Amino acid sequence: TTILYIYFIKIIVSWEWPSGLVSHLVLWYALIVTAVLFLITPLRDENKLANIFSKWMPIIILPLLIMMFISMGIRINAYGVTENRYYVVVMGLWVFGIMVYYSLIKKPLNILLPVSLAIIALLSVLGPLSSYSISTFSQNNRLEAILLKNNMLVDGKIQPAPADISKEDKIEISGILAYFNTQHDLSDIRYLPEGFEMNDMEEVFGFPYEEPDLTDPEDFFFFTRNEAEVG
């Protein structure tokens, strides 16, 4: 906890948010804390240390979870929702709710943890709020915004890119297509012609698959997996 708080203070002072690292550090630590709180329930009234931990840890960890949400908000704003980010946010919200519950209720009911987790697990894989539906919707909107920005969408059909399209936009478009090709299906992308394959990029979009600068494994995971297939 102390290490994470020192890290938190460093981020605030420098205002440099590490790419993806904060969320994973905080989420896994918070999940471990939640498991400990669940398991030490029988000891709360018998062990002083367990009682102190149960009373103060849910409060102490809340600012760290807020830091995690800020970090994830930056990532989602830049790159949209993917399954990985979806589950980080959903699990973060669940842990946050559990910590607030433990903070406010003197004698919390442990049954709430597995029941609420089961409900969230069900919603995350089925229906319109599932990770599949949300990530597909988000990445489609992200692609549409880039196409409109470059005047590449006319009457619902993709037009070849203009000569002045930026390399960054080429990389973004390539990454979105690679993401669907590896994690979903190219047919899930709006506006693509029927039967589109990655090798058709230059014909449809006016430029070939653009490889990124591999500086962030999280952002470009889908690029690297698809490189051999496209190249």
Side-chain angles (χ1 to χ4, degrees), residues 23 35 44 54-55 73 78 83 86 90 106-107 111 120 122 130 139-140 153 160 163 172 176 179 183 188 205 213 216:
S23 303
R44 289 175 186 167
S54 299
K55 181 178 180 181
E83 278 87 349
Y86 173 93
V90 168
K106 292 184 178 180
K107 292 185 177 182
I111 189 64
I120 289 175
L122 188 63
S130 68
Q139 294 300 323
N140 264 304
L153 198 59
E172 291 289 319
I176 293 170
Y179 166 76
Q183 299 298 309
D188 291 328
F205 289 89
D213 299 322
D216 189 335

Side-chain angles (χ1 to χ4, degrees), residues 135-146:
S135 59
T136 299
F137 178 79
S138 174
Q139 294 300 323
N140 264 304
N141 285 349
R142 184 175 159 223
L143 176 62
E144 182 178 357
I146 298 172

Side-chain angles (χ1 to χ4, degrees), residues 55-93:
K55 181 178 180 181
W56 292 105
M57 200 60 194
I59 299 173
I60 292 172
I61 206 169
L62 288 176
L64 297 176
L65 288 169
I66 292 173
M67 177 180 70
M68 184 197 75
F69 289 131
I70 294 174
S71 177
M72 284 307 301
I74 294 172
R75 310 296 291 168
I76 291 173
N77 183 61
Y79 303 108
V81 179
T82 61
E83 278 87 349
N84 288 340
R85 295 182 190 124
Y86 173 93
Y87 284 113
V88 169
V89 172
V90 168
M91 290 305 299
L93 290 172

Side-chain angles (χ1 to χ4, degrees), residues 41-59:
T41 299
L43 302 176
R44 289 175 186 167
D45 298 328
E46 302 174 6
N47 185 283
K48 184 177 180 180
L49 182 60
N51 184 55
I52 294 173
F53 184 90
S54 299
K55 181 178 180 181
W56 292 105
M57 200 60 194
I59 299 173

Side-chain angles (χ1 to χ4, degrees), residues 10-25:
K10 176 182 178 294
I11 290 173
I12 293 177
V13 172
S14 64
W15 204 244
E16 294 180 1
W17 293 81
S19 300
L21 181 62
V22 172
S23 303
H24 292 287
L25 286 174

Side-chain angles (χ1 to χ4, degrees), residues 139-167:
Q139 294 300 323
N140 264 304
N141 285 349
R142 184 175 159 223
L143 176 62
E144 182 178 357
I146 298 172
L147 295 177
L148 290 173
K149 170 187 172 184
N150 291 282
N151 298 314
M152 294 173 62
L153 198 59
V154 178
D155 297 328
K157 295 183 179 180
I158 298 174
Q159 307 298 314
D164 60 348
I165 185 174
S166 67
K167 182 177 180 180

